Amino acid sequence: MSLVKLNIKGISYSQTQNGAYALILNEVDGERKLPIVIGAFEAQSIAIALEKEIKPPRPLTHDLFKNFADRFDIVVKQVIIHKLVDGVFFSSIICERDRIEEIIDARTSDAIALALRFNAPIFTYKNILDKAGIYLKINPEQGEEGINHDDVLGPTQTFDADTETTVSGEGYTQYSLQELHELLEGAVQNEDYEKAAKIRDEISKRES
């Protein structure tokens, strides 16, 4: 079976499952998206890895694993989403130590959080993308800023992206740039990474 390379498009709050998030993976050489429902902790961990400027005061679980692996010369070479059963994705982490390769079973959210920290590529099989991939039809007035979350979490289909963004700075427009930096520091210290990501997004808009 042929492998398809994926990259991370973003993380959306799920309006269909309370407390859950949708991780959106993008087909590198195509237009399909692969949405995967993940928990809040894993969503925060992935968001932190994506937001390079947000550094937690203490290592999170995935950071601890990375530190542990580095200490013992273990390298994550790649992550493969290899199976889809009853809506649940199964993944493997391909590791290497002393030129010996090992395959470790993992939850997809954990595997991707680690792939980001090791700069390892993410793959899935073509038949999984054929089964669970979606085509994102862009609203020309908004570009790829919005995602219809209810449709994202559904089966393969085409839909209009015309709703709110995943991580937006809305709610922080009234603050000055200095106040935003102070809020960002406080959010990181309190380990409120979802809030930190939103503030970081607003700062980026101002500084761009």
PDB file of all heavy atoms in Angstrom, residues 20 63 75 81 93 100-103 106 117 121 142 146 175 201:
ATOM      1  N   ALA A  20     -13.676  18.271  23.188  1.00  0.00           N
ATOM      2  CA  ALA A  20     -12.794  17.642  22.210  1.00  0.00           C
ATOM      3  C   ALA A  20     -12.373  18.657  21.148  1.00  0.00           C
ATOM      4  O   ALA A  20     -12.967  19.723  21.012  1.00  0.00           O
ATOM      5  CB  ALA A  20     -13.489  16.449  21.554  1.00  0.00           C
ATOM      6  N   ASP A  63       7.069  16.472  26.049  1.00  0.00           N
ATOM      7  CA  ASP A  63       8.403  17.057  26.169  1.00  0.00           C
ATOM      8  C   ASP A  63       9.318  16.132  26.992  1.00  0.00           C
ATOM      9  O   ASP A  63      10.504  15.970  26.682  1.00  0.00           O
ATOM     10  CB  ASP A  63       8.339  18.430  26.834  1.00  0.00           C
ATOM     11  CG  ASP A  63       7.527  19.425  26.025  1.00  0.00           C
ATOM     12  OD1 ASP A  63       7.679  19.432  24.791  1.00  0.00           O
ATOM     13  OD2 ASP A  63       6.747  20.175  26.627  1.00  0.00           O
ATOM     14  N   VAL A  75      15.648   8.037  18.383  1.00  0.00           N
ATOM     15  CA  VAL A  75      15.157   9.015  17.413  1.00  0.00           C
ATOM     16  C   VAL A  75      13.837   8.526  16.825  1.00  0.00           C
ATOM     17  O   VAL A  75      13.711   7.354  16.439  1.00  0.00           O
ATOM     18  CB  VAL A  75      16.174   9.223  16.272  1.00  0.00           C
ATOM     19  CG1 VAL A  75      15.629  10.197  15.244  1.00  0.00           C
ATOM     20  CG2 VAL A  75      17.500   9.717  16.823  1.00  0.00           C
ATOM     21  N   ILE A  81      -0.081   6.663  10.355  1.00  0.00           N
ATOM     22  CA  ILE A  81      -1.473   6.367  10.718  1.00  0.00           C
ATOM     23  C   ILE A  81      -1.867   5.183   9.850  1.00  0.00           C
ATOM     24  O   ILE A  81      -2.104   5.326   8.646  1.00  0.00           O
ATOM     25  CB  ILE A  81      -2.382   7.578  10.468  1.00  0.00           C
ATOM     26  CG1 ILE A  81      -1.858   8.796  11.243  1.00  0.00           C
ATOM     27  CG2 ILE A  81      -3.823   7.267  10.866  1.00  0.00           C
ATOM     28  CD1 ILE A  81      -2.554  10.102  10.886  1.00  0.00           C
ATOM     29  N   ILE A  93       4.663   4.587  15.803  1.00  0.00           N
ATOM     30  CA  ILE A  93       5.835   5.450  15.850  1.00  0.00           C
ATOM     31  C   ILE A  93       7.041   4.608  15.453  1.00  0.00           C
ATOM     32  O   ILE A  93       7.328   3.582  16.075  1.00  0.00           O
ATOM     33  CB  ILE A  93       6.047   6.031  17.261  1.00  0.00           C
ATOM     34  CG1 ILE A  93       4.817   6.843  17.698  1.00  0.00           C
ATOM     35  CG2 ILE A  93       7.292   6.901  17.304  1.00  0.00           C
ATOM     36  CD1 ILE A  93       4.903   7.320  19.136  1.00  0.00           C
ATOM     37  N   ILE A 100      19.042   0.239  14.998  1.00  0.00           N
ATOM     38  CA  ILE A 100      18.005  -0.795  15.106  1.00  0.00           C
ATOM     39  C   ILE A 100      16.647  -0.106  15.130  1.00  0.00           C
ATOM     40  O   ILE A 100      16.396   0.766  15.960  1.00  0.00           O
ATOM     41  CB  ILE A 100      18.185  -1.651  16.380  1.00  0.00           C
ATOM     42  CG1 ILE A 100      19.535  -2.374  16.336  1.00  0.00           C
ATOM     43  CG2 ILE A 100      17.044  -2.656  16.513  1.00  0.00           C
ATOM     44  CD1 ILE A 100      19.862  -3.122  17.618  1.00  0.00           C
ATOM     45  N   GLU A 101      15.769  -0.491  14.219  1.00  0.00           N
ATOM     46  CA  GLU A 101      14.460   0.148  14.094  1.00  0.00           C
ATOM     47  C   GLU A 101      13.414  -0.621  14.887  1.00  0.00           C
ATOM     48  O   GLU A 101      13.378  -1.852  14.867  1.00  0.00           O
ATOM     49  CB  GLU A 101      14.059   0.206  12.613  1.00  0.00           C
ATOM     50  CG  GLU A 101      12.860   1.087  12.340  1.00  0.00           C
ATOM     51  CD  GLU A 101      12.609   1.261  10.845  1.00  0.00           C
ATOM     52  OE1 GLU A 101      13.189   2.178  10.248  1.00  0.00           O
ATOM     53  OE2 GLU A 101      11.837   0.462  10.284  1.00  0.00           O
ATOM     54  N   GLU A 102      12.580   0.119  15.594  1.00  0.00           N
ATOM     55  CA  GLU A 102      11.495  -0.459  16.378  1.00  0.00           C
ATOM     56  C   GLU A 102      10.183   0.244  16.013  1.00  0.00           C
ATOM     57  O   GLU A 102      10.189   1.436  15.690  1.00  0.00           O
ATOM     58  CB  GLU A 102      11.747  -0.302  17.882  1.00  0.00           C
ATOM     59  CG  GLU A 102      13.000  -0.982  18.393  1.00  0.00           C
ATOM     60  CD  GLU A 102      12.857  -2.490  18.502  1.00  0.00           C
ATOM     61  OE1 GLU A 102      11.719  -2.995  18.338  1.00  0.00           O
ATOM     62  OE2 GLU A 102      13.876  -3.162  18.743  1.00  0.00           O
ATOM     63  N   ILE A 103       9.098  -0.490  16.085  1.00  0.00           N
ATOM     64  CA  ILE A 103       7.775   0.067  15.806  1.00  0.00           C
ATOM     65  C   ILE A 103       6.958   0.027  17.092  1.00  0.00           C
ATOM     66  O   ILE A 103       6.798  -1.031  17.711  1.00  0.00           O
ATOM     67  CB  ILE A 103       7.052  -0.723  14.702  1.00  0.00           C
ATOM     68  CG1 ILE A 103       7.870  -0.684  13.406  1.00  0.00           C
ATOM     69  CG2 ILE A 103       5.658  -0.152  14.462  1.00  0.00           C
ATOM     70  CD1 ILE A 103       7.285  -1.533  12.292  1.00  0.00           C
ATOM     71  N   ALA A 106       0.788   3.529  19.193  1.00  0.00           N
ATOM     72  CA  ALA A 106       0.490   4.757  19.930  1.00  0.00           C
ATOM     73  C   ALA A 106      -0.846   5.335  19.495  1.00  0.00           C
ATOM     74  O   ALA A 106      -1.325   5.060  18.392  1.00  0.00           O
ATOM     75  CB  ALA A 106       1.590   5.799  19.699  1.00  0.00           C
ATOM     76  N   ARG A 117       7.823  17.240  17.794  1.00  0.00           N
ATOM     77  CA  ARG A 117       8.996  17.516  18.625  1.00  0.00           C
ATOM     78  C   ARG A 117      10.279  16.928  18.033  1.00  0.00           C
ATOM     79  O   ARG A 117      11.372  17.405  18.319  1.00  0.00           O
ATOM     80  CB  ARG A 117       8.750  17.000  20.045  1.00  0.00           C
ATOM     81  CG  ARG A 117       7.773  17.883  20.811  1.00  0.00           C
ATOM     82  CD  ARG A 117       7.152  17.197  22.009  1.00  0.00           C
ATOM     83  NE  ARG A 117       6.427  18.159  22.827  1.00  0.00           N
ATOM     84  CZ  ARG A 117       5.186  18.576  22.558  1.00  0.00           C
ATOM     85  NH1 ARG A 117       4.558  18.114  21.488  1.00  0.00           N
ATOM     86  NH2 ARG A 117       4.587  19.458  23.346  1.00  0.00           N
ATOM     87  N   PRO A 121       8.378  13.169   9.856  1.00  0.00           N
ATOM     88  CA  PRO A 121       7.239  13.233   8.929  1.00  0.00           C
ATOM     89  C   PRO A 121       6.072  12.367   9.389  1.00  0.00           C
ATOM     90  O   PRO A 121       6.255  11.382  10.112  1.00  0.00           O
ATOM     91  CB  PRO A 121       7.829  12.716   7.611  1.00  0.00           C
ATOM     92  CG  PRO A 121       8.974  11.840   8.030  1.00  0.00           C
ATOM     93  CD  PRO A 121       9.532  12.458   9.277  1.00  0.00           C
ATOM     94  N   GLN A 142     -13.190  34.436   2.283  1.00  0.00           N
ATOM     95  CA  GLN A 142     -12.513  34.207   3.552  1.00  0.00           C
ATOM     96  C   GLN A 142     -11.236  33.404   3.440  1.00  0.00           C
ATOM     97  O   GLN A 142     -10.456  33.344   4.366  1.00  0.00           O
ATOM     98  CB  GLN A 142     -13.451  33.468   4.526  1.00  0.00           C
ATOM     99  CG  GLN A 142     -14.560  34.349   5.072  1.00  0.00           C
ATOM    100  CD  GLN A 142     -15.279  33.656   6.205  1.00  0.00           C
ATOM    101  OE1 GLN A 142     -15.741  32.539   6.060  1.00  0.00           O
ATOM    102  NE2 GLN A 142     -15.344  34.295   7.344  1.00  0.00           N
ATOM    103  N   GLY A 146     -11.806  29.829   7.863  1.00  0.00           N
ATOM    104  CA  GLY A 146     -12.882  29.263   8.676  1.00  0.00           C
ATOM    105  C   GLY A 146     -13.124  27.809   8.374  1.00  0.00           C
ATOM    106  O   GLY A 146     -12.878  27.326   7.284  1.00  0.00           O
ATOM    107  N   TYR A 175      -6.856  45.219  23.784  1.00  0.00           N
ATOM    108  CA  TYR A 175      -5.632  45.340  24.557  1.00  0.00           C
ATOM    109  C   TYR A 175      -4.502  45.937  23.723  1.00  0.00           C
ATOM    110  O   TYR A 175      -4.435  45.747  22.519  1.00  0.00           O
ATOM    111  CB  TYR A 175      -5.194  43.974  25.090  1.00  0.00           C
ATOM    112  CG  TYR A 175      -6.134  43.372  26.099  1.00  0.00           C
ATOM    113  CD1 TYR A 175      -7.090  42.448  25.712  1.00  0.00           C
ATOM    114  CD2 TYR A 175      -6.067  43.733  27.449  1.00  0.00           C
ATOM    115  CE1 TYR A 175      -7.964  41.888  26.640  1.00  0.00           C
ATOM    116  CE2 TYR A 175      -6.931  43.177  28.378  1.00  0.00           C
ATOM    117  CZ  TYR A 175      -7.878  42.265  27.963  1.00  0.00           C
ATOM    118  OH  TYR A 175      -8.738  41.715  28.880  1.00  0.00           O
ATOM    119  N   ASP A 201      -1.730  34.691  18.590  1.00  0.00           N
ATOM    120  CA  ASP A 201      -2.285  34.953  17.261  1.00  0.00           C
ATOM    121  C   ASP A 201      -2.578  36.432  17.089  1.00  0.00           C
ATOM    122  O   ASP A 201      -2.303  37.032  16.040  1.00  0.00           O
ATOM    123  CB  ASP A 201      -3.561  34.128  17.065  1.00  0.00           C
ATOM    124  CG  ASP A 201      -4.095  34.204  15.651  1.00  0.00           C
ATOM    125  OD1 ASP A 201      -3.372  33.775  14.744  1.00  0.00           O
ATOM    126  OD2 ASP A 201      -5.220  34.709  15.463  1.00  0.00           O
TER     127      ASP A 201
END
